[in-house]
Amino acid sequence: MTTQSVNQADRKLWLAAIKPPMYSVAIMPMVVGSAIAYAETSQFNGGIFALFMIAAVLILAWENLSNDVFDSETGIDINKAHSVVNLTRNRKLVFVLANLCLGFGIAGIVAIAVYQQDPTVLGIILLCCGLGYMYQGPPFRLGYQGLGEVLCFLSFGPLAMGAAYYSQTQSWSWGSQMAGVIVGLTTTLVLFCSHFHQVEDDVAAGKRSPIVRLGTKRGAALIPWTCGMAFAIAALALMLGLFPVWTALVFLSLPSAWRLSRHVTRYHDQPERVFNAKFFAIGFHFWSGVLLSLGFWLSA
């Protein structure tokens, strides 16, 4: 193997480790929540929006890096070449970088709280961080008990959406919470789809992920139902008048949901083919979020 091909392989591993598309799950609650705030109250503070976005990305980086650290302790990532710990072979360094990301992320949220003289957003984000730690960190490791999806839904759905909306308006909204359920479901699909190709490693490490518990076939059957639930909630919010008519644009993301469902249904028991299911899920998450937020912006 040539030096060039080795370098290309290393770059691919580092891209897989950093997972740039995955940061959509940090950004989307800010985008949708701020769009709803503008549509409902005509308020939008670009500085707070930008600071919150940067803080959210840093906090998710902490989550991802610390997850690699904690997983290295259980041996579950022994075959995961793109684990940051495996790539650097320095667990302590990765843990320090993770905590630096957390510190700077929380500092950004503190700055927002100080500026607004209101600790509400800080309290919500600290709760999200606590749930994130319980997902992966000892002694809880709730993700190993199959409860990660519940924590993911709460943190990236209603809680994150509530924090984004509140950061712009310092108030609450039923519409934003309905949107939070939709974004929470699409984010949870990303985590859910990441388990299909890891069943053997999960079983060996004692991790009872939902796919280990259900089996890949029954797990795959849940995906179209979850996608359908997201669209049903959007339709209900439209009928109740909580979403403006323009938000019907979200239904243009149906092809992404269909591609995700078809891919996992077809390859659920083939790890070498289903490994990229989470990126199909990211596609659905991204397009549904962008179209939903666009609908709110257009109605403002």
Side-chain angles (χ1 to χ4, degrees), residues 209-223:
S209 74
I211 304 306
V212 170
R213 290 177 179 272
L214 293 170
T216 60
K217 185 175 183 179
R218 284 193 292 174
L222 286 177
I223 290 176

Side-chain angles (χ1 to χ4, degrees), residues 25 60 63 67 71 128-137 140-159 183-195 202 207-213:
V25 305
L60 184 58
E63 183 102 11
N67 185 57
D71 280 349
C128 290
C129 291
L131 294 177
Y133 181 83
M134 291 174 70
Y135 164 70
Q136 58 191 346
F140 307 101
R141 300 193 191 275
L142 296 184
Y144 281 67
Q145 309 307 316
L147 298 174
E149 278 67 17
V150 176
L151 302 178
C152 177
F153 171 80
L154 292 173
S155 297
F156 292 94
L159 288 175
V183 174
L185 286 172
T186 61
T187 306
T188 303
L189 275 173
V190 177
L191 177 60
F192 187 77
C193 288
S194 71
H195 300 307
D202 286 350
K207 183 175 182 178
R208 301 284 292 166
S209 74
I211 304 306
V212 170
R213 290 177 179 272

Side-chain angles (χ1 to χ4, degrees), residues 40-124:
E40 293 184 351
T41 68
S42 298
Q43 297 181 60
F44 178 74
N45 186 312
I48 287 178
F49 175 77
L51 185 55
F52 208 149
M53 286 260 286
I54 294 169
V57 168
L58 286 168
I59 290 170
L60 184 58
W62 159 72
E63 183 102 11
N64 289 336
L65 290 171
S66 58
N67 185 57
D68 277 3
V69 171
F70 295 134
D71 280 349
S72 71
E73 295 172 354
T74 67
I76 198 170
D77 279 353
I78 191 170
N79 296 316
K80 186 178 177 181
H82 59 275
S83 161
V84 178
V85 172
N86 290 342
L87 283 169
T88 62
R89 298 181 183 178
N90 193 331
R91 186 169 62 187
K92 185 176 181 179
L93 173 63
V94 175
F95 193 54
V96 169
L97 290 173
N99 288 324
L100 282 173
C101 288
L102 177 62
F104 283 118
I106 294 298
I109 304 301
V110 169
I112 292 172
V114 170
Y115 174 76
Q116 295 184 330
Q117 296 185 329
D118 186 338
T120 303
V121 170
L122 176 61
I124 296 171

Side-chain angles (χ1 to χ4, degrees), residues 128 268 270 277:
C128 290
H268 64 88
Q270 301 177 47

